[in-house]
Amino acid sequence: MDNRPIGIFDSGLGGLTVVKEVMKQLTNESIVYFGDTARVPYGNKSKSTVTKFSAQIIRFLLSKDVKAIIIACNTVNSNCAIELRELFPELMIEGVVGPGVIMASRATKNGRIGVIGTEGTVKSGRYAERLREIHPEYQIFSKACPLFVPLVEDGWTNTEVAKMVIATYLNELLEEDIDTLILGCTHYPILSEDIQAVVGKHIKLINPANETAYQMGLHLLQENIQAVAIPSYHFYVSDHKEQMQDMAKMFLGCKTPDVIEVDIEKY
Ligand code: DGL
């Protein structure tokens, strides 16, 4: 038994899609969330910058006495998970890429899988690499969709504009006869209704957040460090705390979300 919180972080607010699943599946676990709202987006930054930012965040979360970490950000996970595990060898770190790959391999029937994410995630080739570790004969078709993040941040979900942008980005992918599409970015599950409307019901959308929470639950069980308490949720950002407060209220249903701004450069 261990009632210390799980630390979850993302480049911004999108990681709340992962928080939501952890709250739903691991009902006794407390959460400390950090969204790097001052330095978002990470998707177009270099690997060394993203690694440096992520290490600062992990040091901050460790100062909050977390027992494990979930990297909610696909860009961080795809580019720097290995480096971060080397920097923090004692720490239990779960990411979203491995769980996303597990879900996609369960879902696909024809082995033709699409992956969408930021420039950084797609360029890293990490999803394709992990998928081919499971089945070398998988055909993977990847596409960076940089405009999806601002569409979500600016509230353009469930609009014709969103569908037009999605259709423009996904046109080529849809010619490849994929039957499964990994939403390889924290923000994309928020657009999933629009994406599903564009791609059609025959394509299964994969939100890695679901399996990520499940895998974290398994690790906690294996290590015998599950919490047995009424959970608490604390949110930290590097800027724009009001935006996080609104999102946590609207998206997670937290009544009075406790959000604190942090000078993350100090860590
Ligand atoms: N959180 C990022 C991801 O999942 C998307 C936003 C960004 O570019 O920072 O890749």
Side-chain angles (χ1 to χ4, degrees):
M1 180 197 109
D2 187 340
N3 288 333
R4 288 178 302 156
I6 299 172
I8 303 180
F9 76 94
D10 180 41
S11 54
L13 307 178
L16 294 185
T17 52
V18 177
V19 171
K20 193 173 186 168
E21 278 302 320
V22 173
M23 285 168 77
K24 200 163 97 189
Q25 293 185 38
L26 309 178
T27 50
N28 290 326
E29 299 296 339
S30 293
I31 296 170
V32 177
Y33 180 82
F34 181 84
D36 201 357
T37 46
R39 303 187 293 193
V40 68
Y42 283 10
N44 55 8
K45 293 194 170 66
S46 70
K47 176 176 169 142
S48 61
T49 298
V50 175
T51 307
K52 185 180 98 185
F53 288 176
S54 305
Q56 286 174 332
I57 296 170
I58 292 179
R59 284 194 286 271
F60 164 73
L61 290 171
L62 286 171
S63 79
K64 297 289 159 204
D65 199 26
V66 298
K67 62 182 169 189
I69 296 269
I70 297 180
I71 305 174
C73 182
N74 287 262
T75 306
V76 173
N77 205 193
S78 311
N79 287 282
C80 352
I82 295 168
E83 286 77 3
L84 293 172
R85 288 196 174 101
E86 274 168 18
L87 278 173
F88 303 96
E90 304 296 324
L91 188 59
M92 182 189 286
I93 300 180
E94 180 58 86
V96 282
V97 173
V101 163
I102 294 174
M103 290 176 79
S105 68
R106 275 189 208 132
T108 187
K109 301 267 186 296
N110 68 2
R112 301 175 72 81
I113 300 170
V115 179
I116 52 175
T118 64
E119 295 280 0
T121 297
V122 168
K123 266 199 203 135
S124 77
R126 191 73 183 136
Y127 269 106
E129 198 179 294
R130 296 289 304 270
L131 282 161
R132 291 208 183 93
E133 276 168 22
I134 297 188
H135 270 297
E137 67 275 18
Y138 277 160
Q139 298 285 308
I140 324 288
F141 305 91
S142 306
K143 177 80 184 169
C145 306
L147 280 183
F148 287 13
V149 169
L151 275 179
V152 170
E153 298 265 335
D154 291 337
W156 286 86
T157 43
N158 292 312
T159 62
E160 284 314 305
V161 173
K163 289 187 186 64
M164 254 168 60
V165 174
I166 293 165
T168 309
Y169 275 115
L170 300 189
N171 252 343
E172 281 170 33
L173 266 192
L174 294 177
E175 283 168 17
E176 302 292 353
D177 189 29
I178 57 168
D179 69 352
T180 304
L181 180 62
I182 300 180
L183 306 179
C185 173
T186 46
H187 289 60
Y188 298 180
I190 299 172
L191 275 178
S192 55
E193 276 180 33
D194 295 295
I195 297 174
Q196 193 81 68
V198 171
V199 302
K201 288 222 169 72
H202 62 291
I203 295 182
K204 171 94 178 140
L205 301 186
I206 302 295
N207 172 7
N210 186 292
E211 182 74 18
T212 302
Y214 179 76
Q215 291 291 331
M216 178 46 83
L218 273 187
H219 297 321
L220 297 178
L221 183 71
Q222 278 156 3
E223 298 294 321
N224 202 16
I225 53 169
Q226 303 121 297
V228 282
I230 296 172
S232 62
Y233 305 116
H234 296 279
F235 301 92
Y236 295 86
V237 288
S238 43
D239 205 356
H240 296 302
K241 95 182 204 183
E242 302 73 25
Q243 220 181 335
M244 172 61 88
Q245 249 150 1
D246 291 347
M247 271 290 269
K249 256 192 222 160
M250 192 183 73
F251 191 63
L252 303 175
C254 296
K255 281 201 187 101
T256 45
D258 169 21
V259 183
I260 296 172
E261 262 173 35
V262 173
D263 180 3
I264 198 67
E265 307 269 347
K266 279 196 331 212
Y267 290 86

